[in-house]
Amino acid sequence: MLRAVICVSGGGTNLQAVLDAIDNGRITNAEIIAVISNNAGAKALDRAEKHGIQGILMSPKNYGDRDAFNRAFTEKMCELNPDLIVLAGFLVKIPEEMVARFSNRIINIHPALIPSFCGVGYYGLKVHEKVLERGVKVTGATVHFVNEGMDEGPIIAQKAVEVQEGDTPEVLQKRVMEQAEWILLPAAIDDIANGRIKVAGDKVVRVSST
Ligand code: GAR
């Protein structure tokens, strides 16, 4: 059984999609052992609590400096020792030491088709604002492994979503979540939990079942 920790900063709708997928069997062979949030008011911590999952507050604001936070965050993760760390709308940069310690065991959901609309400054609603500003007709979401770069690790899965005339960032965000994110993230966790994918160099490949 794959033991996963989910890190969340805000509403936690992706966390909810994962919890629902475990409950209804779309994810098998996996359990969520903890939810970490950097935001005490995050609805995500309530969602975790309702599911009887340990919620942990881990905010840079509660530490003297970033190094102290990075050390404490990495130590906490090592203590939990998950098989997989899932960044589900987690807006804190993962410390390099954690990336090294959990190599190919951290995944992230990003609300655009990487390598478009990603990197520094591209998070949450801002991504959809930039998509609309640029006038692209297709956007989507990406699940990828996390490396030391920003949104640069091996891509696990992507799904395209149409931009429609008259979209606001909020309307587009909702469509991308419903049509892409809430499907891709649970599917990726299920694939990892059941050994269907692996990282080969800088790419993700499907493991053949023969
Ligand atoms: C999601 O759209 C996720 O893709 C995005 O934040 C939102 C969190 O929503 N993540 C990023 O922008 C990371 N670069 P949620 O808390 O309701 O799941």
XYZ file of all heavy atoms in Angstrom, residues 10-14 89 109-111 122-124 177 181, ligand 1:
119
model
N -4.633 25.952 -0.257
C -5.905 26.685 -0.311
C -7.132 25.828 -0.135
O -7.272 25.077 0.824
N -8.015 25.928 -1.117
C -9.323 25.291 -1.026
C -9.294 23.772 -0.924
O -10.148 23.167 -0.293
N -8.325 23.177 -1.566
C -8.185 21.734 -1.456
C -9.172 20.940 -2.291
O -9.510 19.804 -1.936
N -9.611 21.490 -3.432
C -10.537 20.696 -4.251
C -9.812 19.514 -4.905
O -10.412 18.460 -5.109
C -11.230 21.549 -5.339
O -10.255 22.056 -6.239
C -12.025 22.685 -4.737
N -8.534 19.672 -5.212
C -7.773 18.524 -5.742
C -7.578 17.468 -4.659
O -7.671 16.268 -4.933
C -6.419 18.983 -6.301
C -6.548 19.509 -7.717
O -6.732 18.742 -8.647
N -6.492 20.820 -7.867
N -1.870 22.044 -5.305
C -2.099 23.467 -5.055
C -1.286 23.930 -3.860
O -1.780 24.669 -3.010
N 0.471 19.054 -9.444
C -0.530 19.357 -10.479
C -0.406 20.835 -10.815
O -0.360 21.687 -9.932
C -1.971 18.988 -10.015
C -3.018 19.346 -11.059
C -2.359 19.622 -8.702
C -3.379 18.237 -11.974
N -0.323 21.119 -12.121
C -0.211 22.513 -12.582
C -1.374 22.808 -13.535
O -1.653 22.016 -14.438
C 1.129 22.739 -13.286
C 1.312 24.163 -13.693
N 1.623 25.147 -12.783
C 1.171 24.784 -14.886
C 1.676 26.315 -13.404
N 1.412 26.122 -14.682
N -2.018 23.978 -13.380
C -3.230 24.243 -14.178
C -2.962 24.845 -15.563
O -3.586 25.834 -15.941
C -4.004 25.219 -13.285
C -2.950 25.986 -12.573
C -1.796 25.029 -12.375
N 3.575 31.858 -11.961
C 2.411 31.188 -12.570
C 1.823 30.191 -11.572
O 2.308 29.073 -11.452
C 2.811 30.463 -13.855
C 3.064 31.403 -15.017
C 4.313 31.979 -15.195
C 2.057 31.714 -15.922
C 4.543 32.851 -16.247
C 2.274 32.574 -16.969
C 3.520 33.147 -17.126
O 3.728 34.006 -18.156
N 0.810 30.633 -10.843
C 0.144 29.737 -9.897
C -1.313 30.160 -9.750
O -1.655 31.333 -9.947
C 0.855 29.732 -8.538
C 0.937 31.083 -7.893
C -0.099 31.545 -7.067
C 2.004 31.926 -8.142
C -0.043 32.806 -6.494
C 2.059 33.190 -7.573
C 1.043 33.621 -6.757
O 1.093 34.870 -6.200
N -2.155 29.187 -9.429
C -3.570 29.449 -9.170
C -4.242 30.243 -10.283
O -4.020 30.009 -11.479
N -10.286 22.662 -13.780
C -10.339 21.728 -12.632
C -11.250 20.548 -12.940
O -10.863 19.394 -12.788
C -10.842 22.453 -11.379
C -9.813 23.339 -10.733
S -10.559 24.221 -9.347
C -9.109 24.682 -8.430
N -7.944 18.640 -14.023
C -7.187 18.405 -12.788
C -7.748 17.272 -11.926
O -7.011 16.394 -11.480
C -7.138 19.684 -11.952
C -6.386 20.801 -12.617
C -6.198 21.998 -11.709
O -5.782 21.832 -10.563
O -6.470 23.123 -12.157
C -5.180 24.209 -8.617
O -5.723 24.761 -9.782
C -3.742 23.758 -8.873
O -3.550 23.245 -10.162
C -3.005 25.063 -8.693
O -3.616 25.656 -7.568
C -5.007 25.274 -7.537
C -5.339 24.762 -6.161
O -6.722 24.526 -6.037
N -1.588 24.848 -8.531
C -0.667 25.677 -9.004
O -0.942 26.723 -9.575
C 0.775 25.239 -8.798
N 1.672 25.961 -9.649
P -7.286 23.534 -4.927
O -6.670 23.941 -3.580
O -8.768 23.773 -4.931
O -6.937 22.115 -5.290
